[in-house]
Amino acid sequence: MTSILSSEITPEQLFWQRRRLLALPLLAGAGVLLNACGAADAPTSDAGATPLPISAGVVSTTKDELGNPLTPFETVTGYNNYYEFSTDKERVKDAATGFVTTPWSVVVDGMVAKPRTFGLEDMLALESAERIYRLRCVEGWSMVIPWTGFPLHALLSLVEPTAAAKYVRFETLNDATRMPGQSEPWYQWPYVEGLRLDEAMHDLTLMATGVYGKPLPAQNGAPLRLVVPWKYGFKSIKAVVRITLTDTQPTSLWMAAAPDEYGFFANVNPRVDHPRWSQADERRIGELGRRPTLPFNGYKDQVASLYTGMDLRKFY
Ligand SMILES: Nc1nc2c(c(=O)[nH]1)N[C@H]1C(S)=C(S)[C@@H](COP(=O)(O)O)O[C@H]1N2
Ligand SMILES: [Mo]
């Protein structure tokens, strides 16, 4: 992170500075261990023999619960899907540089007793958790990412969804002057995603505000993005400005763009192929070869009960 003039320091930056100071004693050890994960595996063009500098912040562990090493910081923040900025994963980072995320607010409305507009500072004040999650992109690659943020249910319980609410609809910022990809006519902007309310209330469902112990970089969806680890990555919508509770199943950008290819649920399922490729295995970025894809991306024990009685080969 570049140094900040004190005149430019925002409440958000102060928050993160404080957190970093509190966590400082862990810093040295974490850096050494992270280095061993091999930043040189990053699929960026400048990933050569010299390891890239580790510019990550503090994380409490170097592995997920299955023993998989974290994907290096430079890869997590340098290889991104974010069509509002670029369709080239290795260009998103540069294209998103300078994207202004303060001030930022999120409207939470629809079928709720207490609709409210949250400032980013309100949401950063919610209790923060670290979550190490696998991210499985529908394109057949994956990473292991240490997020920080708050469970979505913490936010939803503040607005009190009504009994009629069945779904949650999420919307990304819609501003082509700030997101140049939105000038491309191929997609129906803004990016929209949706969850069933019980999925949204599940404790694994995270609103991420940070990654690798640092504020979320623009390319990862700053200032806050959804993370639903048992679903394909496209469900994890970035730069959220609106969350609407509704009784009708939302139509996502991808459902509208290619209804035969992308369904509402999009649970990771190695037995349901994409019409154009197999989903049986995946390339973990940084590894040679491919590894089998796990049902629900390895979160089956936690989430399978959400889908009791549903034919998951049919309800993609
Ligand atoms: N608004 C928005 N959100 C988005 C996308 C996007 O293009 N626009 N891409 C999705 C896809 S396909 C993936 S795999 C993840 C990638 O998240 P990451 O870049 O943080 O790894 O973001 C998802 N969220
Ligand atoms: Mo994706």
Side-chain angles (χ1 to χ4, degrees), residues 261-283:
E261 301 191 5
Y262 304 105
F264 175 77
F265 286 95
N267 293 318
V268 173
N269 189 339
R271 284 149 59 95
V272 177
D273 289 342
H274 187 279
R276 291 184 280 132
W277 58 83
S278 163
Q279 294 292 26
D281 56 22
E282 67 200 52
R283 182 170 68 98

Side-chain angles (χ1 to χ4, degrees), residues 80-84 135 137 141 147 172 191 219-220 225 233-234 236-238:
N80 303 95
N81 266 335
Y82 204 168
Y83 280 22
E84 285 86 339
L135 177 99
C137 178
W141 53 266
W147 304 106
T172 294
Y191 200 99
Q219 62 269 29
N220 292 93
R225 57 90 60 85
F234 66 82
S236 293
I237 180 173
K238 297 177 172 181

